[in-house]
Amino acid sequence: MAEELGSSASAPTTTSSSSSWAKTRSLWPSILRWIPTSVDHIIAAEKRLLFLVKTPYVVEQVNIGSGPPGSKIRWFRSTSDEPRFINTATFQSKEDSPTLVMVHGYAASQGFFFRNFDALANRFKVIAIDQLGWGGSSRPDFTCKSTEETEAWFIDSFEEWRKAKNLGSFILLGHSFGGYVAAKYALKHPEHVQHLILVGPAGFSSESESKSEWLAKFRETWKGAVLNHLWESNFTPQKVVRGLGPWGPDLVHRYTTARFGAYSTGEVLTEEESKLLSDYVYHTLAAKASGELCLKYIFSFGAFARMPLIQSASEWKVPTTFIYGFEDWMNYQGAQEARQRMKVPCEIIRVPQGGHFVFIDNPTGFHSAMFYACRRYISPKPENESLPEGLTFA
């Protein structure tokens, strides 16, 4: 099901199973298409980006079947018996290294961690996935109609992926919306999660708990009313990219160049990194809408959770570490409030010179935070470890 790559410097090839689920592509040349992308474009862009990674890796399309075992319904409330696949990258590691599973956030994919794979693979067996409906994974029609169904889309498909990969327990990392999914998964399947690492996680507070008077006032304005209507209509940022057709790649390039040059630590994206990341981001955003349509069911306007994690904090059964960049727009105070309700060990680490994508902005600081968070799994004397210089507790 997977083809091993001797190293990232090799010329990687697509696994044969990916062709079994890819839809028939247009025969038109890309330049003649209004939206110049396809499944093949996503896989090719991912390979070009991961070519920057020195650690050998394996890419596979993991078959999770057509629906939950024993269920009369198919995955994603579909009548189709077509199997679904999770795009998975596994990086070579030292024997007996603890397993680290990395889950990306909204409007992202596993390639966003390209600056971290080499460093993390020195300490962990790193496995990064594209969630269902994202990146190079299957993109079935999104037919969920409630928050509960939408959460099940991600949690249950991840659990079927775990079974297919025959993983027992592992360290689970989730970024942003991926942090929300990882936390919900750990609440439902704590026996499989050794340690939970939430990087700038979304979904800890609701609008009512945040007492957002400014948002209520903004909604009363015509601009607020329009934006709220668009949100509730499930108008996603990806639709803008698709709507721009052949001008979409330039917009994405402008965004990634500006966004990932904002927080300089001497590790700003190189010209090659910026070009490859922009290309990858464009193709993952412009492809068929699927997982992105979860937005309005998980969050209300203003990115407040409809079923906030803070309400489940007292039920937490897994040791947890939160990691935030100093400039992260996600408020770490939600994690502080959750920690007060938790009955398990919990740390909150802040990394300087990093924003919401702290692992891209300041990879060195992020890796230090990761190694400290997981010290009891990778250090011979974890009790002697101290918080690395520059990092702070919250």
Side-chain angles (χ1 to χ4, degrees):
M1 189 174 289
E3 182 166 330
E4 185 166 357
L5 312 179
S7 72
S8 59
S10 306
T13 57
T14 308
T15 61
S16 59
S17 59
S18 63
S19 60
S20 67
W21 60 267
K23 290 191 174 182
T24 302
R25 299 177 297 280
S26 169
L27 296 178
W28 288 12
S30 295
I31 196 171
L32 298 180
R33 299 179 194 158
W34 178 252
I35 303 176
T37 192
S38 68
V39 170
D40 281 357
H41 279 83
I42 295 174
I43 299 301
E46 175 187 280
K47 289 175 181 175
R48 289 192 293 269
L49 182 63
L50 295 186
F51 190 78
L52 299 173
V53 180
K54 297 180 175 63
T55 306
Y57 63 92
V58 172
V59 176
E60 60 184 324
Q61 297 291 336
V62 178
N63 189 337
I64 63 168
S66 58
S71 174
K72 294 181 180 180
I73 60 172
R74 303 296 84 191
W75 283 125
F76 324 120
R77 314 309 183 255
S78 170
T79 57
S80 171
D81 287 327
E82 178 185 355
R84 311 298 185 179
F85 297 85
I86 297 283
N87 188 43
T88 306
T90 303
F91 295 82
Q92 183 174 297
S93 61
K94 299 174 184 176
E95 192 174 354
D96 298 327
S97 296
T99 299
L100 170 66
V101 177
M102 305 180 75
V103 182
H104 63 82
Y106 186 86
S109 301
Q110 55 95 350
F112 272 63
F113 297 114
F114 76 100
R115 289 188 120 188
N116 315 118
F117 291 139
D118 283 330
L120 295 179
N122 283 327
R123 308 285 187 93
F124 306 96
K125 177 183 179 181
V126 177
I127 306 176
I129 68 164
D130 288 335
Q131 297 192 71
L132 259 291
W134 297 101
S137 291
S138 297
R139 290 177 177 245
D141 293 337
F142 188 90
T143 54
C144 299
K145 300 299 181 184
S146 68
T147 300
E148 292 80 5
E149 283 188 355
T150 304
E151 288 187 355
W153 162 299
F154 295 104
I155 296 169
D156 293 349
S157 59
F158 183 84
E159 171 61 4
E160 289 308 304
W161 170 85
R162 181 201 65 78
K163 292 177 183 177
K165 288 291 290 179
N166 196 29
L167 294 177
S169 62
F170 46 88
I171 299 166
L172 179 59
L173 178 151
H175 170 243
S176 194
F177 170 69
Y180 179 89
V181 173
K184 291 284 184 172
Y185 177 83
L187 282 165
K188 187 173 182 179
H189 301 283
E191 68 278 10
H192 299 305
V193 182
Q194 290 176 291
H195 196 101
L196 184 63
I197 299 177
L198 304 178
V199 184
F204 265 86
S205 58
S206 65
E207 183 179 343
S208 60
E209 291 169 327
S210 300
K211 301 178 180 178
S212 299
E213 296 180 7
W214 70 269
L215 186 58
K217 292 180 179 179
F218 180 66
R219 274 209 190 97
E220 295 175 357
T221 67
W222 71 268
K223 290 182 180 179
V226 169
L227 290 175
N228 186 67
H229 174 74
L230 290 174
W231 185 283
E232 294 300 330
S233 300
N234 230 349
F235 186 89
T236 65
Q238 291 89 326
K239 291 182 180 179
V240 176
V241 174
R242 295 186 194 102
L244 289 172
W247 294 277
D250 182 63
L251 173 67
V252 173
H253 178 70
R254 289 173 181 269
Y255 165 75
T256 55
T257 300
R259 168 60 189 84
F260 298 113
Y263 306 108
S264 175
T265 66
E267 299 177 73
V268 177
L269 293 181
T270 66
E271 183 177 347
E272 182 183 22
E273 286 177 322
S274 180
K275 181 177 182 297
L276 292 173
L277 180 61
S278 295
D279 182 53
Y280 175 69
V281 171
Y282 170 73
H283 289 297
T284 59
L285 294 182
K288 174 188 172 181
S290 182
E292 73 189 63
L293 299 176
C294 72
L295 196 60
K296 80 165 190 174
Y297 296 105
I298 300 294
F299 304 107
S300 62
F301 180 58
F304 293 106
R306 297 189 188 276
M307 296 179 66
L309 289 165
I310 190 70
Q311 295 177 358
S312 305
S314 61
E315 302 169 24
W316 232 258
K317 295 180 175 64
V318 177
T320 302
T321 300
F322 294 87
I323 299 177
Y324 292 87
F326 274 18
E327 307 298 329
D328 197 332
W329 63 273
M330 287 291 181
N331 194 333
Y332 67 89
Q333 293 176 344
Q336 290 178 316
E337 184 177 350
R339 180 173 57 186
Q340 294 176 356
R341 305 185 187 187
M342 289 181 183
K343 302 170 185 176
V344 294
C346 176
E347 294 176 327
I348 304 171
I349 301 174
R350 301 186 68 204
V351 179
Q353 297 173 304
H356 190 53
F357 291 91
V358 61
F359 47 89
I360 296 179
D361 298 328
N362 184 357
T364 300
F366 173 73
H367 300 152
S368 294
M370 282 291 298
F371 298 150
Y372 181 79
C374 299
R375 58 195 181 277
R376 65 173 175 155
Y377 310 106
I378 61 177
S379 174
K381 295 184 178 180
E383 67 279 1
N384 295 337
E385 296 281 341
S386 58
L387 190 68
E389 184 177 357
L391 307 183
T392 62
F393 286 122

